[in-house]
Amino acid sequence: MNILLYDNTQMAVKDGRFFCASGTGEFAQELVLLGNTVTMFGQQVEDATSTSSFDILGGGIKVAGLRRYKNKIISYLMLYLFSVKYIARADFVYFFYPTSYRYLPFVCRLLGKKYGMYVRGDENVDNRISRILYKHAYAIFTVAEYFTDMVNHYSKRHVGHTIRPMISYTDKDVVTNRVYEEKEKYNILFLCRMQKEKGIGELLEAVRNLKMKGVSNFRLTVVGGGPFLEDVKRLVREFGIVDMVSIEGAVNDEERKKQYFSESDIYILPTYYKE
């Protein structure tokens, strides 16, 4: 089967190679090992700081899409137009949702192609467009019973199924014996892709305000790479909080990420969206 896969994040290009999140890549690779031909389609962005670590071509997965234009609207217009021929060739199209490609399932319907969805976020997942997409999807997988119930409600059929999120952690990584006690200095962790929408600017501003009020019994560790990383470094300097914030940059090693979590007292993610 020829499967066309649309991730809901950009495809990172580093040293001429294409990378995606490990969970996404492993899923696509599993489809290849089952005897399918899998093509991952997306916007390709030069990003040496990206935490995406799965080598797409190295995993036996084909790559399609276009490099990002300076104008975002033109970029997505070209990607939509370029998508049509790939959808026409595919036997099945799978969308990670929500996505900037949310109108492409309508192209699938026009071309008589079956499509599936993986719902793993709640940005606009219950609006009118999404409800129409659920009604005509061949299969939908979600990361929570809440999403599954919503999908089945709007589709008027049992099309939704709950699966474990595509992350590298399992229930074995859950710490149940942590002891919370009063400390002289607390470790606060922000581990996420560096994007303005994740609320990192507001978090740094809060650190500055606390420092101005004489509150300094904590240290913020910022872990992650992305397009807003240089802005984060600039804000830390401008706010005069270099002594209260550690910027670690992109970290790909999963064991090291677990260590950051285990050594922190508080994890904070003031994202603009519900995660």
Side-chain angles (χ1 to χ4, degrees), residues 186-211:
Y186 296 90
N187 297 316
I188 301 177
L189 175 65
F190 176 93
L191 191 154
C192 189
R193 179 169 170 76
M194 293 299 120
Q195 293 176 280
K196 182 179 180 181
E197 295 81 5
K198 299 299 182 181
I200 180 62
E202 288 82 355
L203 176 58
L204 295 176
E205 188 173 358
V207 173
R208 179 191 63 178
N209 292 340
L210 287 170
K211 182 178 180 180

Side-chain angles (χ1 to χ4, degrees), residues 9-21 40-57 63-68 193:
T9 58
Q10 61 193 22
M11 195 181 300
V13 183
K14 294 182 280 188
D15 297 324
R17 298 160 65 192
F18 302 93
F19 294 87
C20 66
M40 189 174 294
F41 191 103
Q43 184 171 181
Q44 302 162 0
V45 180
E46 291 281 350
D47 188 357
T49 67
S50 173
T51 56
S52 297
S53 58
F54 186 91
D55 186 340
I56 300 174
L57 293 175
V63 169
L66 297 170
R67 297 296 177 100
R68 182 170 62 185
R193 179 169 170 76

Side-chain angles (χ1 to χ4, degrees), residues 170-188:
T170 69
D171 55 353
K172 295 181 180 179
D173 295 303
V174 176
V175 177
T176 59
N177 60 347
R178 181 188 286 264
V179 177
Y180 293 92
E181 56 186 16
E182 189 172 347
K183 302 174 65 175
E184 291 186 4
K185 182 159 287 191
Y186 296 90
N187 297 316
I188 301 177

Side-chain angles (χ1 to χ4, degrees), residues 5-192:
L5 175 63
Y6 285 86
D7 194 0
N8 58 351
T9 58
Q10 61 193 22
M11 195 181 300
V13 183
K14 294 182 280 188
D15 297 324
R17 298 160 65 192
F18 302 93
F19 294 87
C20 66
S22 57
T24 303
E26 290 165 6
F27 166 70
Q29 187 176 44
E30 187 173 346
L31 293 176
V32 171
L33 294 174
L34 289 172
N36 301 290
T37 298
V38 179
T39 301
M40 189 174 294
F41 191 103
Q43 184 171 181
Q44 302 162 0
V45 180
E46 291 281 350
D47 188 357
T49 67
S50 173
T51 56
S52 297
S53 58
F54 186 91
D55 186 340
I56 300 174
L57 293 175
I61 304 152
K62 295 184 178 181
V63 169
L66 297 170
R67 297 296 177 100
R68 182 170 62 185
Y69 290 79
K70 290 184 178 180
N71 186 297
K72 187 175 181 179
I73 296 177
I74 293 177
S75 288
Y76 279 103
L77 178 60
M78 294 300 295
L79 284 165
Y80 266 78
L81 293 173
F82 196 52
S83 287
V84 175
K85 69 175 183 180
Y86 284 93
I87 293 175
R89 298 171 182 170
D91 299 308
F92 189 80
V93 186
Y94 193 59
F95 296 94
F96 282 43
Y97 199 79
T99 175
S100 299
Y101 304 106
R102 59 184 173 276
Y103 299 109
L104 285 179
F106 294 108
V107 176
C108 292
R109 292 208 69 211
L110 288 173
L111 296 177
K113 303 294 181 178
K114 292 180 180 179
Y115 69 87
M117 302 169 71
Y118 172 43
V119 179
R120 60 176 184 176
D122 69 351
E123 182 188 357
N124 297 320
V125 294
D126 61 350
N127 63 13
R128 186 178 180 183
I129 296 296
S130 297
R131 296 175 188 180
I132 295 173
L133 300 183
Y134 302 151
K135 289 181 180 179
H136 301 288
Y138 179 79
I140 301 176
F141 300 97
T142 84
V143 296
E145 291 294 339
Y146 167 79
F147 291 132
T148 298
D149 293 341
M150 177 194 67
V151 164
N152 289 333
H153 171 72
Y154 290 133
S155 66
K156 307 297 182 184
R157 56 198 174 98
H158 189 70
V159 68
H161 307 275
T162 307
I163 61 174
R164 192 177 75 84
M166 290 181 185
I167 56 177
S168 56
Y169 306 116
T170 69
D171 55 353
K172 295 181 180 179
D173 295 303
V174 176
V175 177
T176 59
N177 60 347
R178 181 188 286 264
V179 177
Y180 293 92
E181 56 186 16
E182 189 172 347
K183 302 174 65 175
E184 291 186 4
K185 182 159 287 191
Y186 296 90
N187 297 316
I188 301 177
L189 175 65
F190 176 93
L191 191 154
C192 189

